[in-house]
Amino acid sequence: MPDPAAHDREPDLGEADFEQLRPVLSWAIAAAAPGSRVVGVKGLRDGTNPWLLRLDRSGTTCEVFLKVGDVASVQQHRQLSTAVAALILAQEHALPAPRLVAADLDGSQAGMLAMLTTVLPGSSDIPRAASPNRLRKLGAAAATLHAVPLSPRPDLALRTQPLPDVDFAAWRRSAGTSELLTRAERLLADLPAPGGTVVFVHGDLWQGNTLWSDGCCTGIVDWDCAGAGASGIDIGWLRLDAALYFDASAADEILLGWQQSIGRPADYVAYWDVVAALGTVGDMKDCMPPLLDHGRTDIDAPTLTARRDPFLAAALDRLDRP
């Protein structure tokens, strides 16, 4: 019998990768399209995990997204469990996200931690020119998440910052900081965390985690950092992202789109802008690799600094006002 996991390998998928994936490919076939075979495997991050699988059954093809993890890694188990819980909640509320096909959160079936989802149409490439309409749609997409109240629970924990697994202060101590970032750290340390409604947050909501087709946002991906928290966590991260890729006016379009969609002003915008900016280090060259993965090779570190610092300074100025 032919191997059901026989496939056309991408140039960067070697024999060792294939042998490691063989058991999980059989699991993926059984879960997504029994009787099919894998005819394409593409690594989506530096040629490796996560994977885009193309399946064929009697001439009919489909694509699924596969993410795997090490059963011995506590962090990978936590992140994958979070992503699964987030996608289930997203489906319950018809939010713009992939649909969960199957998951193995202990490795008993797939031989490793594994999650299989549908593939959304569109591209995550970021345009070089800011489009106010697109930015407002991005803010509106965030608002759909934040319309869902959510109490913290083990698989969707309380979030107080973007990328909750990253110790940004320790990163700055290691990579270097700046006077402005140090001032921001000190000011935030003296302020109580703002209250407000706890809602469903993505936790790493930036343009690279959204897909677009024909000017419309087809969905939000990469839910490893999701949880329950203030909507400002996502709003501030999106606003910083827009400011870095474009300028401060782009950040304001994000906010406008969010407010128009949800029907009220956002709370504590300056506070969450500062929190977002504190997700960087002094030399922005250390923050560049993710920014370059989505078609914006025109951006350099001096440009990022020249955009980050005014964004942060303006937020600090608003916080300092009585």
Side-chain angles (χ1 to χ4, degrees):
M1 293 180 64
D3 181 358
H7 71 293
D8 298 329
R9 299 177 201 173
E10 295 296 315
D12 51 11
L13 182 62
E15 188 68 31
D17 292 315
F18 173 55
E19 289 305 318
Q20 180 187 23
L21 280 178
R22 188 185 292 272
V24 77
L25 291 179
S26 297
W27 170 82
I29 289 170
S36 66
R37 65 190 185 98
V38 179
V39 294
V41 178
K42 180 180 181 180
L44 298 179
R45 188 163 295 160
D46 296 326
T48 183
N49 183 46
W51 309 92
L52 179 66
L53 308 182
R54 189 167 71 255
L55 309 179
D56 178 271
R57 182 170 55 189
S58 302
T60 301
T61 62
C62 68
E63 290 184 329
V64 288
F65 174 89
L66 171 68
K67 187 165 189 176
V68 299
D70 183 351
V71 293
S73 170
V74 173
Q75 181 182 37
Q76 290 180 30
H77 179 270
R78 181 177 66 251
Q79 290 178 340
L80 206 64
S81 297
T82 292
V84 167
L87 290 176
I88 291 172
L89 186 61
Q91 182 166 359
E92 290 173 354
H93 291 273
L95 300 177
R99 297 303 177 228
L100 181 69
V101 175
D104 183 357
L105 296 179
D106 61 11
S108 61
Q109 302 169 57
M112 60 185 73
L113 306 178
M115 178 183 73
L116 203 62
T117 74
T118 58
V119 176
L120 298 176
S123 168
S124 62
D125 284 351
I126 299 168
R128 295 199 174 195
S131 163
N133 185 51
R134 176 181 166 122
L135 292 164
R136 291 175 195 171
K137 287 180 179 178
L138 184 52
T144 64
L145 277 60
H146 305 152
V148 179
L150 181 64
S151 298
R153 60 196 202 198
D155 50 1
L156 289 169
L158 180 66
R159 303 304 191 198
T160 58
Q161 67 169 49
L163 296 177
D165 287 336
V166 179
D167 186 338
F168 291 112
W171 185 23
R172 279 189 296 278
R173 288 194 296 271
S174 172
T177 187
S178 69
E179 290 185 10
L180 187 62
L181 288 168
T182 299
R183 177 188 162 206
E185 273 192 284
R186 289 173 177 167
L187 181 58
L188 228 58
D190 292 334
L191 293 175
T197 305
V198 177
V199 298
F200 187 30
V201 296
H202 181 274
D204 186 19
L205 191 51
W206 66 295
Q207 293 174 84
N209 278 338
T210 63
L211 294 171
W212 296 80
S213 179
D214 295 328
C216 294
C217 180
T218 59
I220 300 169
V221 297
D222 200 357
W223 293 82
D224 295 358
C225 299
S231 58
I233 293 171
D234 287 342
I235 296 171
W237 203 233
L238 272 176
R239 280 172 49 79
L240 173 66
D241 180 61
L244 291 176
Y245 276 104
F246 306 114
D247 54 32
S249 66
D252 291 337
E253 296 294 348
I254 295 281
L255 182 61
L256 180 60
W258 188 91
Q259 293 180 153
Q260 288 176 337
S261 177
I262 213 158
R264 64 172 178 83
D267 297 323
Y268 309 107
V269 174
Y271 179 93
W272 293 111
D273 281 357
V274 174
V275 170
L278 285 173
T280 66
V281 295
D283 192 338
M284 288 295 290
K285 70 177 176 57
D286 295 315
C287 306
M288 285 189 66
L291 296 173
L292 298 178
D293 290 342
H294 297 270
R296 290 299 303 273
T297 54
D298 58 306
I299 294 178
D300 58 20
T303 298
L304 292 177
T305 302
R307 293 172 178 172
R308 189 264 322 264
D309 287 354
F311 176 86
L312 176 53
L316 289 172
D317 182 59
R318 298 197 308 274
L319 271 180
D320 279 339
R321 292 175 189 169

